Amino acid sequence: MMRAYIIALLIVIVGAHIAMWTSDMPRDLALKLTLINAAGWAVVLIPVYGVARWAAHHRVKNDDQDDT
């Protein structure tokens, strides 16, 4: 379920960037805003993904220890 939310969020972000690039905004400003926005979302989403992977790894590891 979480994967669907992340995919939906990414679709909205990409859609917003497409809308910005197709508007009458100057191209240099659109490029700057795109880079700032992409960096900001990367700072948010990459740690979230990393923590989710870490938690899944430890959940499987703990499940294996409980079985023995």
Side-chain angles (χ1 to χ4, degrees):
M1 188 63 167
M2 182 62 79
R3 181 174 286 179
Y5 289 128
I6 291 175
I7 290 171
L9 179 63
L10 290 174
I11 289 171
V12 169
I13 292 168
V14 170
H17 285 156
I18 291 170
M20 181 177 60
W21 277 93
T22 58
S23 71
D24 60 350
M25 181 182 295
R27 295 292 175 224
D28 61 330
L29 179 60
L31 177 62
K32 289 177 186 176
L33 291 174
T34 300
L35 293 175
I36 290 170
N37 194 290
W41 279 111
V43 165
V44 170
L45 293 178
I46 290 172
V48 168
Y49 177 76
V51 169
R53 297 290 297 162
W54 175 83
H57 174 74
H58 282 281
R59 192 176 310 117
V60 169
K61 186 178 174 183
N62 288 338
D63 288 345
D64 289 344
Q65 289 177 353
D66 291 343
D67 291 340
T68 58

